[in-house]
Amino acid sequence: VTNRRRTIEKRRPHQSLETGPFPRPLYGDIAMRPFSDDIIGHYVNLGAWETRSLGEQFDQLVDSRPEQTAVVDDPTRSTFTNGAPQRLSFAELSARVDRMAATLLASGLVAGDVVLVQLPNTWENLAIILVCMRTGLVLSPVPVQYRGKELTDIIETAHPRAVLTTTSFKGFDHAEMMVKVFKDAQAQVFVVED
Protein backbone atom coordinates (compact mmCIF):
# COMPACT_ATOMS: atom_id res chain seq x y z
CA VAL A 1 0.00 0.00 0.00
CA THR A 2 2.80 2.39 0.85
CA ASN A 3 4.51 1.87 -2.50
CA ARG A 4 1.25 2.34 -4.35
CA ARG A 5 0.59 5.56 -2.43
CA ARG A 6 4.00 6.93 -3.31
CA THR A 7 3.37 6.15 -6.98
CA ILE A 8 0.05 7.98 -6.92
CA GLU A 9 1.64 10.98 -5.17
CA LYS A 10 4.45 11.09 -7.75
CA ARG A 11 1.96 11.15 -10.61
CA ARG A 12 -0.18 13.84 -9.01
CA PRO A 13 1.97 15.77 -6.52
CA HIS A 14 -0.54 18.64 -6.37
CA GLN A 15 -3.21 16.38 -4.87
CA SER A 16 -2.96 15.21 -1.28
CA LEU A 17 -4.44 11.80 -0.59
CA GLU A 18 -5.36 12.90 2.93
CA THR A 19 -7.31 16.02 1.99
CA GLY A 20 -7.46 15.50 -1.79
CA PRO A 21 -9.84 17.14 -4.22
CA PHE A 22 -12.25 14.24 -3.79
CA PRO A 23 -15.28 14.54 -1.51
CA ARG A 24 -15.27 11.01 -0.09
CA PRO A 25 -12.38 8.61 0.39
CA LEU A 26 -12.90 4.89 -0.07
CA TYR A 27 -10.70 2.08 1.26
CA GLY A 28 -8.23 4.18 3.18
CA ASP A 29 -5.84 6.08 0.93
CA ILE A 30 -7.66 5.41 -2.33
CA ALA A 31 -10.24 8.02 -3.21
CA MET A 32 -12.92 8.05 -5.88
CA ARG A 33 -14.69 11.03 -7.36
CA PRO A 34 -18.40 10.30 -7.83
CA PHE A 35 -20.18 11.41 -10.97
CA SER A 36 -22.37 14.50 -10.72
CA ASP A 37 -26.15 14.10 -10.89
CA ASP A 38 -26.08 15.85 -14.28
CA ILE A 39 -23.68 13.31 -15.76
CA ILE A 40 -25.61 10.39 -14.26
CA GLY A 41 -28.90 11.77 -15.60
CA HIS A 42 -27.42 12.31 -19.05
CA TYR A 43 -26.24 8.71 -19.42
CA VAL A 44 -29.38 7.24 -17.85
CA ASN A 45 -31.52 9.24 -20.31
CA LEU A 46 -29.41 7.96 -23.21
CA GLY A 47 -30.04 4.43 -22.00
CA ALA A 48 -26.32 3.82 -21.56
CA TRP A 49 -26.52 3.53 -17.76
CA GLU A 50 -28.95 1.61 -15.60
CA THR A 51 -30.37 2.82 -12.29
CA ARG A 52 -30.88 -0.68 -10.89
CA SER A 53 -28.00 -2.59 -9.32
CA LEU A 54 -26.64 -5.71 -11.01
CA GLY A 55 -28.19 -7.75 -8.23
CA GLU A 56 -31.61 -6.19 -8.87
CA GLN A 57 -31.23 -6.83 -12.59
CA PHE A 58 -30.33 -10.47 -11.94
CA ASP A 59 -33.34 -10.93 -9.63
CA GLN A 60 -35.61 -9.44 -12.31
CA LEU A 61 -34.26 -11.93 -14.86
CA VAL A 62 -34.84 -14.79 -12.40
CA ASP A 63 -38.46 -13.66 -12.04
CA SER A 64 -39.12 -12.97 -15.71
CA ARG A 65 -37.11 -15.79 -17.36
CA PRO A 66 -36.53 -18.53 -14.80
CA GLU A 67 -35.98 -21.29 -17.37
CA GLN A 68 -33.78 -19.31 -19.75
CA THR A 69 -30.06 -20.17 -19.75
CA ALA A 70 -28.12 -17.81 -17.49
CA VAL A 71 -24.60 -19.25 -17.58
CA VAL A 72 -22.69 -21.89 -19.52
CA ASP A 73 -19.35 -23.29 -18.40
CA ASP A 74 -16.47 -23.70 -20.80
CA PRO A 75 -16.89 -27.12 -22.46
CA THR A 76 -13.24 -27.86 -21.60
CA ARG A 77 -13.80 -27.19 -17.88
CA SER A 78 -12.71 -30.68 -16.82
CA THR A 79 -9.27 -30.07 -18.38
CA PHE A 80 -8.45 -27.17 -16.02
CA THR A 81 -10.53 -27.69 -12.86
CA ASN A 82 -12.83 -30.14 -11.11
CA GLY A 83 -16.36 -30.87 -12.22
CA ALA A 84 -18.20 -31.29 -15.48
CA PRO A 85 -19.26 -28.24 -17.48
CA GLN A 86 -22.62 -26.88 -16.33
CA ARG A 87 -25.44 -25.07 -18.11
CA LEU A 88 -27.69 -23.33 -15.56
CA SER A 89 -30.96 -21.49 -15.96
CA PHE A 90 -31.62 -18.27 -14.07
CA ALA A 91 -33.72 -20.19 -11.54
CA GLU A 92 -31.03 -22.85 -11.04
CA LEU A 93 -28.29 -20.25 -10.67
CA SER A 94 -30.40 -18.26 -8.21
CA ALA A 95 -31.05 -21.37 -6.10
CA ARG A 96 -27.32 -22.14 -5.97
CA VAL A 97 -26.57 -18.52 -5.07
CA ASP A 98 -29.08 -18.78 -2.22
CA ARG A 99 -27.45 -21.99 -0.91
CA MET A 100 -23.95 -20.49 -1.11
CA ALA A 101 -25.12 -17.31 0.63
CA ALA A 102 -26.79 -19.33 3.41
CA THR A 103 -23.59 -21.32 3.95
CA LEU A 104 -21.42 -18.21 4.21
CA LEU A 105 -23.82 -16.36 6.51
CA ALA A 106 -24.26 -19.45 8.72
CA SER A 107 -20.47 -19.49 9.18
CA GLY A 108 -20.68 -16.11 10.91
CA LEU A 109 -19.86 -13.78 8.03
CA VAL A 110 -21.80 -10.51 7.96
CA ALA A 111 -22.30 -7.69 5.48
CA GLY A 112 -19.09 -5.70 5.12
CA ASP A 113 -16.77 -8.68 5.69
CA VAL A 114 -14.15 -9.10 2.96
CA VAL A 115 -14.26 -12.37 1.02
CA LEU A 116 -11.17 -13.22 -1.01
CA VAL A 117 -12.11 -15.28 -4.08
CA GLN A 118 -9.65 -17.26 -6.16
CA LEU A 119 -11.66 -19.25 -8.69
CA PRO A 120 -11.30 -20.04 -12.38
CA ASN A 121 -13.84 -18.65 -14.83
CA THR A 122 -16.69 -21.06 -14.05
CA TRP A 123 -20.32 -20.73 -12.99
CA GLU A 124 -19.17 -20.78 -9.35
CA ASN A 125 -17.21 -17.56 -9.87
CA LEU A 126 -20.31 -15.80 -11.20
CA ALA A 127 -22.38 -17.24 -8.35
CA ILE A 128 -19.99 -15.85 -5.72
CA ILE A 129 -20.24 -12.39 -7.26
CA LEU A 130 -24.03 -12.63 -6.97
CA VAL A 131 -23.73 -13.97 -3.41
CA CYS A 132 -21.73 -10.89 -2.44
CA MET A 133 -24.33 -8.62 -4.04
CA ARG A 134 -27.15 -10.30 -2.13
CA THR A 135 -25.43 -10.44 1.24
CA GLY A 136 -23.35 -7.28 1.33
CA LEU A 137 -20.09 -9.22 1.57
CA VAL A 138 -17.16 -7.38 -0.01
CA LEU A 139 -15.71 -9.30 -2.94
CA SER A 140 -11.93 -9.31 -3.35
CA PRO A 141 -11.15 -11.37 -6.47
CA VAL A 142 -7.60 -12.54 -7.13
CA PRO A 143 -6.17 -14.32 -10.19
CA VAL A 144 -5.88 -18.10 -9.97
CA GLN A 145 -2.19 -17.74 -10.83
CA TYR A 146 -1.40 -16.03 -7.49
CA ARG A 147 0.46 -18.10 -4.93
CA GLY A 148 1.70 -17.64 -1.37
CA LYS A 149 3.66 -14.40 -1.71
CA GLU A 150 0.97 -12.48 -3.57
CA LEU A 151 -1.75 -13.82 -1.30
CA THR A 152 0.20 -12.87 1.83
CA ASP A 153 0.45 -9.30 0.53
CA ILE A 154 -3.29 -9.25 -0.12
CA ILE A 155 -4.05 -10.59 3.37
CA GLU A 156 -2.09 -7.71 4.88
CA THR A 157 -4.05 -5.18 2.81
CA ALA A 158 -7.59 -6.58 2.56
CA HIS A 159 -7.88 -8.50 5.86
CA PRO A 160 -10.32 -11.08 4.47
CA ARG A 161 -12.61 -12.94 6.87
CA ALA A 162 -13.13 -15.75 4.36
CA VAL A 163 -11.43 -17.27 1.36
CA LEU A 164 -13.20 -19.15 -1.42
CA THR A 165 -11.19 -21.29 -3.78
CA THR A 166 -11.30 -24.43 -5.88
CA THR A 167 -9.74 -27.77 -5.08
CA SER A 168 -7.38 -27.51 -8.01
CA PHE A 169 -6.66 -25.49 -11.10
CA LYS A 170 -4.50 -26.93 -13.85
CA GLY A 171 -3.16 -29.55 -11.45
CA PHE A 172 -2.22 -27.15 -8.64
CA ASP A 173 -3.84 -27.80 -5.25
CA HIS A 174 -5.38 -24.44 -4.36
CA ALA A 175 -7.24 -25.74 -1.31
CA GLU A 176 -4.03 -26.98 0.33
CA MET A 177 -2.21 -23.73 -0.47
CA MET A 178 -5.02 -21.61 0.99
CA VAL A 179 -5.09 -23.58 4.22
CA LYS A 180 -1.32 -23.01 4.62
CA VAL A 181 -1.37 -19.33 3.63
CA PHE A 182 -4.38 -18.45 5.76
CA LYS A 183 -3.62 -20.56 8.86
CA ASP A 184 -2.62 -17.47 10.89
CA ALA A 185 -4.91 -14.96 9.16
CA GLN A 186 -8.10 -15.82 11.09
CA ALA A 187 -9.97 -16.35 7.84
CA GLN A 188 -12.20 -19.28 7.06
CA VAL A 189 -11.28 -21.26 3.95
CA PHE A 190 -14.14 -22.56 1.79
CA VAL A 191 -13.61 -24.92 -1.14
CA VAL A 192 -16.20 -24.26 -3.82
CA GLU A 193 -17.01 -27.36 -5.84
CA ASP A 194 -19.84 -28.40 -8.10
Side-chain angles (χ1 to χ4, degrees):
V1 175
T2 305
N3 290 340
R4 182 174 186 180
R5 182 175 176 184
R6 284 189 203 130
T7 303
I8 292 170
E9 287 178 342
K10 285 179 185 174
R11 282 192 218 142
R12 296 180 285 188
H14 62 284
Q15 296 176 354
S16 165
L17 290 175
E18 284 76 28
T19 58
F22 305 125
R24 60 179 181 168
L26 300 174
Y27 303 108
D29 292 341
I30 300 172
M32 183 174 138
R33 182 182 180 139
F35 292 104
S36 70
D37 290 341
D38 291 341
I39 291 173
I40 293 170
H42 174 74
Y43 285 105
V44 168
N45 289 335
L46 286 175
W49 287 3
E50 178 65 56
T51 56
R52 295 169 299 149
S53 71
L54 289 175
E56 291 169 333
Q57 292 177 54
F58 175 72
D59 290 340
Q60 183 180 9
L61 289 168
V62 171
D63 292 340
S64 65
R65 307 170 187 189
E67 301 308 314
Q68 184 175 331
T69 301
V71 63
V72 178
D73 269 338
D74 183 327
T76 65
R77 173 188 171 129
S78 61
T79 66
F80 60 85
T81 194
N82 296 351
Q86 298 287 307
R87 175 181 295 268
L88 302 175
S89 69
F90 282 102
E92 291 168 329
L93 179 58
S94 182
R96 292 184 188 198
V97 167
D98 287 342
R99 284 195 301 271
M100 290 173 150
T103 299
L104 293 177
L105 295 176
S107 76
L109 295 174
V110 296
D113 285 343
V114 175
V115 177
L116 187 137
V117 177
Q118 188 179 45
L119 291 170
N121 192 14
T122 59
W123 75 263
E124 293 94 339
N125 200 355
L126 173 60
I128 291 300
I129 293 168
L130 294 166
V131 165
C132 291
M133 288 179 190
R134 284 191 179 170
T135 60
L137 295 170
V138 178
L139 177 72
S140 179
V142 296
V144 290
Q145 295 83 359
Y146 281 13
R147 299 296 185 255
K149 169 65 175 118
E150 295 90 354
L151 294 170
T152 300
D153 291 345
I154 291 169
I155 291 169
E156 292 172 8
T157 304
H159 306 287
R161 293 268 335 272
V163 179
L164 289 88
T165 192
T166 184
T167 303
S168 68
F169 178 73
K170 293 189 176 181
F172 184 80
D173 191 337
H174 279 263
E176 180 181 328
M177 174 190 63
M178 289 296 193
V179 169
K180 288 178 183 175
V181 170
F182 283 88
K183 68 179 174 164
D184 297 326
Q186 298 181 355
Q188 302 175 66
V189 176
F190 294 89
V191 176
V192 180
E193 291 189 313
D194 184 30

